[in-house]
Amino acid sequence: MKYLKNVATVKLDREKCTGCRKCLEVCPRQVLVMREYKAAIVDLDACIECGACRQNCAFDAITVKSGVGCAQALFNALLTGGEPVCDCEKGGKKSSGCC
Amino acid sequence: MTSSPSDCCDPADNSNCGCCCDGVPDQTPKPLPPLNRRGDVLCRLSNKFRMNYVVAPGLYTIGNPAQESPVLVTANYRLTCNHLRKELEGGNIWILVLDTKGINVWCAAGKGSFGTKELINRITVSGLDSVVKHRTIILPQLGAPGVAAHQVKKATGFSVIYGPVQARDIKVYLAGGNTATEAMRTVTFTFKERLVLTFMELLPALKKYLWILLGIVVVMGIQRTGILYKPSIFHSWPIVVVGFWAIIIGTFLAPILLPVIPFRSFALKGALLGAVLLAPFFYLINRAFCGSIILATAVFVFFTTLSSYCALNFTGCTPFTNISGVKKEMRIAVPSYLSACGISAILLVIFKLQELGIL
């Protein structure tokens, strides 16, 4: 299953890429492949903008406007004017590791 | 958060308590809490239960791990821990549970609570470096959006490697010397995976639907002599049934039929499925909807919109949507929804005026 065409914002700077393959390891959607010893984006529409590749790139070669693709969270942000928070996180105890 | 020792601290049961008795968390590794079948079902049905279905963060054991045993990192959502436990029964493993506020790995990584900072903190406070000899920790692959492996290495000396997406592959992954196949690295969204999520879509939607239901009953009951019981019930029930059906379409049928409904946009998928499956009701036009094509149209437009809205909300449950796409959908969907509601409202007013003999 794939989502809307040509909307994903992931970009790769091949100049900065060292070919360490970390982005291929973390991508859950097989967006990237190795080409001539460097990473390359081959399936843009599969990208879910989770940000795993950017987060794990030690060389800042990847940019992506990441976030959670959740309409409910965006509706809530629209109504409250705050940050996108979905109903999944409401109504429970917020902290579990303190005293 | 403060809790009194009585309601929070049972030393024999660390399963549902994130607190500690004396203000200092006990850092001795404990066995991971036992499986809980009843809880695993309940957390799919009740949001309140789900948000409190947690394991206290810290270092845990499965079996009798030694200094060389692998360390797996996970979230403190009890269901997640249970999945891991089920798959690793019989093994000897360390489990480092991060404080993700009871949220699963994928969602917590997206929000950053399953993240670099918490991981570094948890490695430090649990004294992991004195518990194991090696310097490798295995994270679930879906934790990667929150964790920068190179920063963890720099801060703690531990190398982060990413394991499979699913807990069910972890045994094979470990047995194969920490190697994941492409299938293990890819997220799936099968019929069954979609099905278990639909109840948490359907139930809250039905709760909110009660307000719409109330509105329908009141509006249909308005007569020249006041709000009357008889027209209210007799004219409302077909509309209430259509609305109920629209919610089932949007929150249940659209998610489970997702790959076979045309269009990539969720709003369009919901609108299409809603329009197709609501249409048969309008054969009943002469009997229901007071025989009024105006009322029937108002009902059809409003509830097709509702189906679309419910389906659009499912974007957050899927592992293949992205935020740029959802924003694009909403730029079109929000004005469309508002217009549709406006049209329905105008038609409804016209119908009522006709019914009351004013028009």
Side-chain angles (χ1 to χ4, degrees):
Chain A
M1 269 178 280
K2 279 181 196 167
Y3 197 43
L4 307 188
K5 279 179 194 162
N6 282 322
V7 294
T9 52
V10 64
K11 287 193 180 65
L12 173 77
D13 184 345
R14 300 241 316 165
E15 294 287 299
K16 290 185 184 169
C17 178
T18 62
C20 76
R21 305 183 71 100
K22 201 71 182 172
C23 53
L24 274 74
E25 183 188 332
V26 297
C27 178
R29 297 280 294 168
Q30 318 301 336
V31 171
L32 302 127
V33 293
M34 289 302 283
R35 202 174 271 166
E36 290 152 14
Y37 308 106
K38 289 187 177 195
I41 295 169
V42 285
D43 194 355
L44 184 72
D45 292 347
C47 177
I48 58 179
E49 299 181 322
C50 69
C53 51
R54 181 200 52 206
Q55 183 78 279
N56 283 281
C57 180
F59 311 96
D60 293 322
I62 297 176
T63 55
V64 54
K65 281 185 205 154
S66 59
V68 182
C70 172
Q72 217 163 52
L74 293 170
F75 276 122
N76 285 340
L78 214 62
L79 289 175
T80 60
E83 285 287 298
V85 179
C86 60
D87 291 343
C88 313
E89 296 158 275
K90 287 186 194 161
K93 76 175 174 189
K94 287 291 172 198
S95 175
S96 56
C98 64
C99 299
Chain B
M1 195 171 74
T2 52
S3 297
S4 65
S6 56
D7 67 56
C8 145
C9 296
D10 175 2
D13 177 19
N14 55 29
S15 59
N16 54 13
C17 157
C19 311
C20 43
C21 306
D22 54 1
V24 181
D26 176 15
Q27 297 301 344
T28 325
K30 301 171 278 275
L32 204 63
L35 296 179
N36 180 348
R37 261 173 224 281
R38 186 176 153 270
D40 289 1
V41 173
L42 276 177
C43 68
R44 297 289 197 189
L45 301 174
S46 158
N47 199 35
K48 196 164 178 244
F49 182 86
R50 175 173 69 173
M51 295 308 295
N52 292 299
Y53 198 43
V54 299
V55 171
L59 187 61
Y60 290 87
T61 58
I62 291 179
N64 290 304
Q67 287 185 313
E68 298 77 27
S69 303
V71 179
L72 303 186
V73 181
T74 192
N76 79 326
Y77 182 28
R78 178 90 183 261
L79 181 66
T80 307
C81 294
N82 286 353
H83 281 322
L84 208 50
R85 193 193 172 96
K86 213 182 301 172
E87 297 302 328
L88 291 168
E89 210 67 72
N92 297 313
I93 317 272
W94 298 104
I95 307 284
L96 186 65
V97 176
L98 302 191
D99 184 6
T100 61
K101 318 290 178 212
I103 306 282
N104 67 70
V105 170
W106 173 240
C107 293
K111 306 267 157 47
S113 58
F114 188 102
T116 312
K117 205 175 142 201
E118 163 62 8
L119 179 55
I120 292 171
N121 166 54
R122 202 55 60 185
I123 290 172
T124 315
V125 296
S126 66
L128 189 64
D129 57 349
S130 56
V131 175
V132 292
K133 270 188 187 160
H134 62 80
R135 289 290 175 267
T136 304
I137 49 175
I138 302 167
L139 269 63
Q141 192 192 337
L142 292 187
V147 176
H150 51 283
Q151 288 173 14
V152 177
K153 168 97 182 171
K154 209 185 277 173
T156 65
F158 279 91
S159 299
V160 170
I161 57 173
Y162 292 100
V165 167
Q166 299 278 355
R168 62 168 177 262
D169 294 325
I170 191 73
K171 237 179 178 166
V172 179
Y173 173 86
L174 292 173
N178 303 347
T179 43
T181 61
E182 189 170 305
M184 284 183 197
R185 291 229 175 277
T186 308
V187 270
T188 54
F189 202 40
T190 60
F191 178 84
K192 203 183 141 201
E193 284 167 333
R194 298 195 298 276
L195 184 68
V196 296
L197 298 173
T198 54
F199 298 101
M200 280 309 295
E201 294 293 301
L202 181 60
L203 299 179
L206 286 178
K207 242 186 224 172
K208 285 181 195 161
Y209 179 55
L210 287 178
W211 292 103
I212 300 180
L213 195 152
L214 187 72
I216 297 168
V217 172
V218 170
V219 171
M220 296 317 286
I222 296 173
Q223 299 299 323
R224 293 201 139 193
T225 43
I227 296 177
L228 300 185
Y229 172 74
K230 231 177 163 182
S232 163
I233 297 305
F234 280 96
H235 294 165
S236 292
W237 76 261
I239 304 175
V240 170
V241 170
V242 172
F244 185 65
W245 182 226
I247 288 184
I248 295 192
I249 293 167
T251 60
F252 181 72
L253 294 178
I256 63 171
L257 296 175
L258 210 56
V260 295
I261 309 169
F263 302 123
R264 288 190 176 193
S265 150
F266 279 53
L268 279 178
K269 279 177 189 282
L272 177 71
L273 196 67
V276 169
L277 296 181
L278 288 173
F281 279 88
F282 297 92
Y283 282 111
L284 305 169
I285 214 162
N286 288 326
R287 302 195 45 189
F289 313 120
C290 313
S292 161
I293 187 123
I294 293 178
L295 178 61
T297 309
V299 171
F300 185 75
V301 169
F302 181 75
F303 286 121
T304 302
T305 306
L306 189 64
S307 288
S308 170
Y309 171 75
C310 291
L312 180 57
N313 272 342
F314 195 65
T315 47
C317 296
T318 71
F320 69 95
T321 55
N322 54 41
I323 192 164
S324 300
V326 175
K327 279 184 174 165
K328 187 180 175 187
E329 283 212 58
M330 285 185 55
R331 275 198 295 274
I332 303 163
V334 172
S336 310
Y337 291 167
L338 292 176
S339 322
C341 289
I343 291 169
S344 299
I346 293 167
L347 290 174
L348 184 65
V349 169
I350 295 174
F351 164 76
K352 285 310 286 189
L353 292 177
Q354 278 182 342
E355 191 194 21
L356 300 179
I358 297 167
L359 261 183

